[in-house]
Amino acid sequence: MRDPRNGSNGRPERPEWLRPAIPNDDPDVLAAFGAPAGALLPATPLRCSPGDRARALGARGRCLPTGLATLDEATRGGPRVGSFGVLGGAPGTGKTTLLCQVALHRLEAGDYVTLLAADEGPDGLLIRIGQLLGFDREALEQGDPEAREALALALEAYGARLELLDVADGWTLEEATDRLVVLAGSTPAFLGVDSIQTARAFGTDAAEGPRARADAVVHALKGAARRGVFVLATSELARGAYRSNDPTQRTHSLASFKESGSVEYGVDFALVLRSVTGEANLVDVEVAKNRLGPKPEFRLRLDHTRALFSEEGRPAEDSGAAQATKLLRDRAALREAVLATIRKNPTLRSKDAVCEAVPRRAKPVRDCLGVLLEEGRVVLTEGGYRVVESVENG
């Protein structure tokens, strides 16, 4: 029987009732503003008075744990309703596997979950979920009748709360979000997208170049989050983020998400996954951005049989001496970058000018320049800053 909430094409029709003055779609807020249950808000920016926003504060404060203990602790109990997160990493680091794991965790918590497949087809995502539920990957890949039927029965237990949509079937992020919000109603909703570089959204077909395309996808994902959906997407990283084992030779993690500078500013939290050298089953995770708290690092071990990541402690040398060594290397690299910039640009006359010329964050550059001036390694002349190549001892 056709879902009465769907149109003739099987996709949800937008409700006629739209109230542009409601600050968000939390059920308590909808009720306070007189909106009917299940109302779908427009994806365009909403207008409301500061007073209305004050009345709605905290309405999206509910925590939605991911099952990753360190991330949940860093976000004070888990990302909030309406959060937008991204999983970045080189090919083969386990981004899609981790996305499916978090999606299943939210599904078992009672959320409505939609996975939008673009990089990997929906069958591949379904097999990963089957592994997480304890089914044999080889049996599922070979289409074993008993395995297929058993997995089907296991998934039917979730009812309509799990959907896998395929970009190849024409689904866009906006359409997937519409459908998810309608089906979920007042229940928390999770949208998993694999990946930012390959998903489709309004404007991607006409986008001029990969960067503009990815920016359109990020804009659509932010729109989904504004409507109360917990969004988690995978993203490739630029090669500079993982081409070297030496952290000082890598691109800054938050600036390395491939073809989209909007990721750096648009997400609430960002995880960067890196395979541990010489360890096929270990992945180090850096919380490169977190609006809700600290930015820790942690390690995951992958059980390939179950497609399941489990968190484990890092060796003492990683958490102690190695971290100290990394800090020293980072400081040394920054120092050399500042010196090289001043040598190359002898007319820089202010700290702001040096900060703009050095491709690093401004505050560390400013602090480093201050230390170099105190040491006498750099001096300020009438023409600009100058590097003192040798310092006489007094």
Side-chain angles (χ1 to χ4, degrees):
M1 180 180 296
R2 182 176 66 85
D3 189 331
R5 293 171 290 189
N6 290 352
S8 58
N9 63 354
R11 299 181 183 179
E13 295 179 333
R14 285 180 175 268
E16 296 179 358
W17 189 91
L18 295 173
R19 187 183 177 105
I22 300 177
N24 64 45
D25 54 3
D26 182 273
D28 294 335
V29 177
L30 289 171
F33 282 79
L40 185 63
L41 300 183
T44 53
L46 305 177
R47 292 183 177 180
C48 64
S49 71
D52 290 340
R53 288 192 178 277
R55 294 185 184 95
L57 282 176
R60 287 186 174 177
R62 177 177 176 180
C63 298
L64 304 175
T66 63
L68 301 173
T70 299
L71 176 61
D72 292 339
E73 181 178 355
T75 52
R76 306 200 304 272
R80 304 299 191 267
V81 170
S83 291
F84 174 19
V86 63
L87 304 174
T93 50
K95 301 183 297 295
T96 305
T97 297
L98 190 57
L99 174 69
C100 290
Q101 182 172 328
V102 175
L104 184 59
H105 187 82
R106 293 312 314 159
L107 182 67
E108 293 181 338
D111 296 7
Y112 275 75
V113 171
T114 292
L115 290 174
L116 184 61
D119 268 8
E120 186 171 344
D123 287 353
L125 301 184
L126 192 61
I127 288 174
R128 293 174 193 265
I129 293 174
Q131 288 179 267
L132 287 166
L133 293 173
F135 291 89
D136 180 70
R137 180 184 183 93
E138 186 174 349
L140 295 175
E141 287 179 333
Q142 294 179 355
D144 178 84
E146 292 185 4
R148 288 187 303 181
E149 181 61 23
L151 177 58
L153 292 174
L155 295 173
E156 286 172 358
Y158 297 113
R161 289 194 296 109
L162 174 63
E163 283 199 328
L164 286 86
L165 305 180
D166 193 348
V167 167
D169 291 334
W171 286 96
T172 65
L173 284 163
E174 291 84 357
E175 291 170 328
T177 301
D178 281 357
R179 180 173 181 82
L180 177 58
V181 171
V182 169
L183 292 175
S186 60
T187 304
F190 175 91
L191 174 63
V193 178
D194 184 35
S195 66
I196 286 176
Q197 284 72 33
T198 53
R200 291 183 63 240
F202 179 77
T204 54
D205 292 342
E208 296 183 359
R211 185 181 183 88
R213 190 184 191 285
D215 285 346
V217 170
V218 171
H219 179 77
L221 293 173
K222 290 170 63 177
R226 283 195 296 269
R227 295 168 69 186
V229 176
F230 175 12
V231 177
L232 186 60
T234 65
S235 175
E236 295 295 334
L237 296 182
R239 291 184 181 275
Y242 55 86
R243 64 187 172 193
S244 173
N245 292 327
D246 184 350
T248 66
Q249 301 301 314
R250 299 176 189 152
T251 305
H252 187 275
S253 296
L254 198 55
S256 62
F257 286 90
K258 190 173 183 180
E259 296 160 348
S260 181
S262 61
V263 173
E264 179 177 355
Y265 303 100
V267 300
D268 297 299
F269 67 92
L271 306 186
V272 173
L273 283 64
R274 291 188 175 93
S275 298
V276 177
T277 304
E279 298 286 348
N281 301 327
L282 293 181
V283 174
D284 281 338
V285 183
E286 175 190 357
V287 181
K289 180 179 181 180
N290 179 18
R291 294 188 193 275
L292 294 177
K295 296 181 287 186
E297 296 183 8
F298 57 100
R299 177 166 288 180
L300 297 175
R301 180 177 292 276
L302 176 61
D303 179 344
H304 288 278
T305 301
R306 293 195 58 196
L308 176 67
F309 278 109
S310 57
E311 196 166 340
E312 68 173 40
R314 302 177 73 170
E317 60 269 21
D318 280 2
S319 57
Q323 288 188 8
T325 300
K326 178 180 182 298
L327 179 60
L328 291 173
R329 286 179 177 175
D330 289 346
R331 288 177 178 173
L334 176 59
R335 183 184 179 94
E336 289 305 314
V338 172
L339 292 172
T341 299
I342 293 174
R343 290 189 186 101
K344 185 177 180 180
N345 303 278
T347 59
L348 297 174
R349 299 185 180 184
S350 69
K351 288 186 176 181
D352 288 340
V354 175
C355 290
E356 291 179 1
V358 178
R360 306 290 180 94
R361 292 179 179 275
K363 186 178 184 307
V365 172
R366 184 180 295 273
D367 293 343
C368 180
L369 180 57
V371 171
L372 291 170
L373 287 167
E374 290 178 2
E375 293 176 351
R377 191 74 171 87
V378 171
V379 295
L380 181 58
T381 67
E382 291 184 358
Y385 287 104
R386 181 172 61 85
V387 176
V388 178
E389 299 300 344
S390 62
V391 179
E392 297 292 337
N393 293 324

